[in-house]
Amino acid sequence: MVNIVNGSETELETDKNTLSNELKIKAHLVNPDFEEGTNGLIDEDVFDAVEPPFDRRDQTEQCQTEQAGMERTSPVPSDSLTSTTCTPMRASAPVHRFNAEVEEMVQNHMTYSLQDVGGDANWNLLLEEGDMKVYRRKVEENGIINDPVRATLSVKGVTGHEVCHYFWNPNYRFDWETTIDNLDVIEALSDDAFILHQIHKRIWPAAQRDILFLSAMRKVLACDENVPDTWLVCNSSVDHDKAPPTAKCVRAKINIAMICQTLVSPPEGDDAISRENVQCKITYVANVHPGGWVPATICRALAKREYPKFLRRFTAYVQEKTAGEPILF
Ligand code: B8X
């Protein structure tokens, strides 16, 4: 298990063998968006317009992974839309104890998450920027906001395999993820699945959140030669004895997928395929249950601001990392 804190660089040793490729996870530099004492992600005017802060914890309070009682949780249910997408099972896959859950999640995302929600009155278009569209469906359960978010966008010059590689591999997390304080690799399940613990930066006035999740990358072969293969990463909450919930963080629950299909336009004449001929069609779906009450206005303002910001930053990062590199299909 690796505990990543600011300023240190560590190598990952796992309970099983050392990972096939060593992971040196760089420390997260302090991010100017999160100067201590400011209200972080939400503008003052948004905050002033909502209920008085309901959580008066000291803003300097950090949450640590401490031994505490385990509680059984299950992943936040994925959004249920019907689809006729072909979903062949994977040809061969490293087997681990969560394999069945991963296969079920992959099937669900391939069946439901790729459906276009643009014409669905239940989904509100939050933002349209170029070809990026971010939709949200309003869901409130027992007074707690649990809005599914769905985004579609195309990224020029990169493949679905490359997008999933940089999204899944924790080695790169601090390069593009600006909303986390801490990242632990709890267990390496196989060469395409980890269990990770992330402590997210506090979103004042809400209590600090952490998430414990299975992160698995998969390639789903298309069953029709006219349909591209799909690469996807599923991040879904699990329990693990080594990272029980603590009193100092509210444990949010996630069911998130980055689903990618590579589109290739034929190169001129006999030219080899270059990055000018490829683009990645992304469908990003996020179900985040905050784990406890957060003012609806804060939750919704946060999602409206943070998901587009994350998608812009992350996709630009992949373009930058792959520029000039051989194409990974
Ligand atoms: C989002 C929110 C909160 C997350 C977790 C979150 C966690 C994205 C995971 O796509 S990811 O799997 C990338 C790995 O980090 C992932 C977002 C707070 C709940 C009260 C906790 C909500 C605040 C929203 C948000 N925050 C950051 C980025 C996007 C959206």
Side-chain angles (χ1 to χ4, degrees), residues 41 167 173 176-177 179-180 198 200 203 206 209 211 213 235 252 254 256 284 286 288-290 294 299 302-303 306-307 310:
L41 298 171
F167 183 70
R173 189 63 38 89
W176 51 265
E177 178 59 282
T179 68
I180 62 176
Q198 281 184 185
H200 281 249
I203 306 152
R209 258 65 185 177
I211 53 177
F213 60 101
N235 290 345
I254 65 169
I256 288 173
Y284 172 81
V288 176
H289 187 291
V294 178
C299 249
L302 201 55
E306 289 304 315
Y307 285 113
F310 147 67

Side-chain angles (χ1 to χ4, degrees), residues 187-219:
E187 186 179 347
L189 294 168
S190 65
D191 65 4
D192 64 5
F194 285 124
I195 294 181
L196 302 175
H197 179 241
Q198 281 184 185
I199 299 175
H200 281 249
K201 293 202 177 285
R202 188 174 177 194
I203 306 152
W204 196 69
Q208 190 161 33
R209 258 65 185 177
D210 69 337
I211 53 177
L212 176 66
F213 60 101
L214 167 64
S215 186
M217 180 161 66
R218 284 280 193 273
K219 177 182 184 180

Side-chain angles (χ1 to χ4, degrees), residues 253-268:
K253 298 290 188 292
I254 65 169
N255 185 355
I256 288 173
M258 178 73 76
I259 309 167
C260 300
Q261 292 175 329
T262 304
L263 304 178
V264 182
S265 58
E268 296 291 323

Side-chain angles (χ1 to χ4, degrees), residues 76-132:
V76 170
S78 62
D79 186 39
S80 60
L81 285 171
T82 55
S83 156
T84 55
T85 310
C86 167
T87 58
M89 292 307 287
R90 185 178 150 133
S92 65
V95 178
H96 49 74
R97 66 181 188 279
F98 289 99
N99 212 62
E101 286 86 344
V102 172
E103 293 309 328
E104 184 180 357
M105 279 190 291
V106 168
Q107 289 277 4
N108 281 333
H109 284 302
M110 293 299 293
T111 304
Y112 301 114
S113 300
L114 291 173
Q115 284 294 303
D116 177 20
V117 298
D120 185 330
N122 295 311
W123 289 84
N124 315 122
L125 181 62
L126 279 186
L127 171 131
E128 186 166 6
E129 189 180 279
D131 78 339
M132 175 164 72

Side-chain angles (χ1 to χ4, degrees), residues 290-319:
W293 184 76
V294 178
T297 39
I298 294 273
C299 249
R300 288 175 171 151
L302 201 55
K304 185 170 185 177
R305 172 175 171 175
E306 289 304 315
Y307 285 113
K309 185 171 143 188
F310 147 67
L311 289 167
R312 285 186 212 104
R313 178 184 176 93
F314 170 68
T315 53
Y317 170 78
V318 178
Q319 287 174 318

